[in-house]
Amino acid sequence: MKTTNSQNKHDRRFMAMALGLARRGLGNVWPNPAVGCVLVRPDLEGGGRVVGRGWTQPGGRPHAETEAIRRAGALARGATAYVTLEPCCHTGQTGPCTEALIAAGIARAVVAVADPDARAAGQGITALKQAGIEVDLGLGEAEAREVNAGFFKRVTEGRPLVTLKAASSLDGRIAAAGGDSKWVTSGAARARGHLMRGQSDAIMIGVGTALADDPELTCRLPGMDGRSPARVVLDTHLRTPPAGRLVKTARDVPLWIATTPESSPEAAQVLESKGAHVVRVAAGTDGRPDPAAVLHALADAGITRLLIDGGGGVAAAFLKAGLVDRMAWFHAPVVVGGDGVPAVAPLSVATMNDALRFERLTMELIGEDILEILAVRPRPA
């Protein structure tokens, strides 16, 4: 950074504000990244006055920078732009944000992280510098990478970021021996789970969960009914009930049913006639939809953040394949016993050295339950 310690303090404050704005877009802007932008006039009010704020709008446009410029109007001239991702310099469905920032007359840009998209990849920063704008890169980079971990994953690996959610007893059970699962966790934990849905692009379950629970998989928090993710069901033999709640709401909230090429064309036609979209992917060695193929198909459709929220078999399949990036685990203060339904189906772990390991990122009390957010710890080379 080329600024003084006092200015650094203000830079951190305004970048934190931009990161908070970026998070507003999570789950609602795919396939675009969720970006936040704050325009600040450093010459006003002894340290800086915010003259414009913007974040990526639903569907991915308008972009954060153009929103902030629109709100700032003429006050954007001479401002510092705090942006959580390198401004785009290519023309898609909207014009380049670099051109908008240059035309607005900003004097300086503080950018958290470079864009991994080959259409940008440093070119946006270069364009700003060539226009005589001072650019500082890297402030808040770790936080910005986490906000857009799904976008980065899709661009660099061709798949979405995968979070596995589980709500279990202390001994890792999601239901009693008879199958009763209402309710393992508290109402507060279930509300947090709905927030996770609203911040995800898509939510996935196995057909067994669809048959057992007849879920809707929508976000039912007050004021967030328009934030429901696309629903994905892994269904080898297309057993998803046409009269179930998932299919009944398929014309209101996207429903994608991932199956194999061998499944019934007649069953697929019935489901698609009711608004579901049947996606055929390659089968794995077990004859079920291959997890990696499913993720690539979702990425091709624009999904950047996937929440797996149902079925010990689905959880085990993605864990075995090494395709889980985060765990969101709710622990309820209750013990069910060994005859209860496990949160994860058998993983064939022979020794503790073979066990999957995680790094705890956060832990908090939600009602009477504990929520842990964990990242998968890579296996030693």
Side-chain angles (χ1 to χ4, degrees):
M1 300 288 289
K2 302 175 183 176
T3 52
T4 66
N5 290 334
S6 174
Q7 289 171 319
N8 277 334
K9 178 183 70 174
H10 292 304
D11 284 344
R12 289 192 293 271
R13 176 163 67 94
F14 292 128
M15 182 58 77
M17 187 183 299
L19 287 164
L21 293 173
R23 294 184 184 98
R24 294 187 180 189
L26 291 177
N28 206 29
V29 300
W30 58 275
N32 284 12
V35 180
C37 177
V38 177
L39 295 180
V40 178
R41 284 283 296 273
D43 56 322
L44 301 178
E45 299 184 5
R49 173 184 163 193
V50 174
V51 295
R53 301 183 309 150
W55 57 95
T56 312
Q57 296 299 292
R61 62 193 67 84
H63 290 182
E65 297 92 328
T66 53
E67 274 291 288
I69 291 168
R70 180 183 65 81
R71 297 181 186 204
L75 288 174
R77 186 160 298 278
T80 296
Y82 295 86
V83 191
T84 60
L85 183 69
E86 178 182 1
C88 64
C89 59
H90 58 275
T91 300
Q93 294 191 31
T94 59
C97 289
T98 49
E99 289 186 7
L101 290 167
I102 293 166
I106 69 163
R108 177 174 174 244
V110 180
V111 180
V113 64
D115 190 337
D117 191 322
R119 296 172 299 175
Q123 298 176 56
I125 290 171
T126 298
L128 294 176
K129 287 182 176 179
Q130 288 177 343
I133 296 170
E134 177 189 347
V135 180
D136 292 311
L137 176 66
L139 180 65
E141 180 176 355
E143 297 93 329
R145 284 185 176 277
E146 184 61 27
V147 169
N148 274 311
F151 174 75
F152 277 61
K153 183 75 68 172
R154 180 174 179 265
V155 169
T156 60
E157 299 183 30
R159 71 169 180 86
L161 182 84
V162 176
T163 298
L164 174 61
K165 173 183 167 290
S168 75
S169 61
L170 292 174
D171 52 344
R173 268 36 192 179
I174 59 174
D180 176 47
S181 62
K182 294 187 177 180
W183 294 101
V184 177
T185 53
S186 66
R190 294 194 297 276
R192 177 60 69 86
H194 277 268
L195 179 60
M196 290 180 182
R197 292 181 183 183
Q199 294 177 328
S200 301
D201 302 345
I203 183 171
M204 176 186 288
I205 61 170
V207 67
T209 300
L211 291 167
D213 298 343
D214 189 24
E216 199 167 287
L217 298 181
T218 52
C219 177
R220 296 190 291 277
L221 290 179
M224 294 189 67
D225 30 348
R227 298 290 295 265
S228 292
R231 289 88 50 84
V232 182
V233 181
L234 298 184
D235 188 353
T236 307
H237 303 294
L238 294 182
R239 295 185 294 147
T240 302
R245 290 197 287 180
L246 284 168
V247 177
K248 282 183 176 178
T249 57
R251 298 193 191 280
D252 302 316
V253 182
L255 173 63
W256 300 336
I257 301 178
T259 188
T260 66
E262 291 72 32
S263 62
S264 165
E266 293 78 16
Q269 186 176 14
V270 170
L271 291 166
E272 290 192 321
S273 71
K274 296 180 178 296
H277 179 48
V278 175
V279 182
R280 297 186 184 276
V281 301
T285 55
D286 59 0
R288 299 173 179 175
D290 178 70
V294 171
L295 293 186
H296 286 307
L298 292 178
D300 286 344
I303 299 299
T304 68
R305 296 165 60 88
L306 173 68
L307 181 69
I308 298 178
D309 192 16
V314 175
F318 280 79
L319 285 167
K320 279 183 179 180
L323 294 172
V324 173
D325 304 295
R326 303 282 188 274
M327 295 272 281
W329 202 296
F330 293 90
H331 301 276
V334 61
V335 172
V336 175
D339 54 348
V341 179
V344 179
L347 292 173
S348 302
V349 173
T351 69
M352 288 306 296
N353 284 337
D354 299 323
L356 301 177
R357 307 259 173 199
F358 298 85
E359 174 188 356
R360 184 178 291 109
L361 301 180
T362 64
M363 185 169 63
E364 62 180 305
L365 191 65
I366 308 290
E368 59 183 18
D369 307 310
I370 291 176
L371 168 61
E372 289 185 281
I373 304 295
L374 309 108
V376 172
R377 183 180 299 170
R379 291 181 180 277

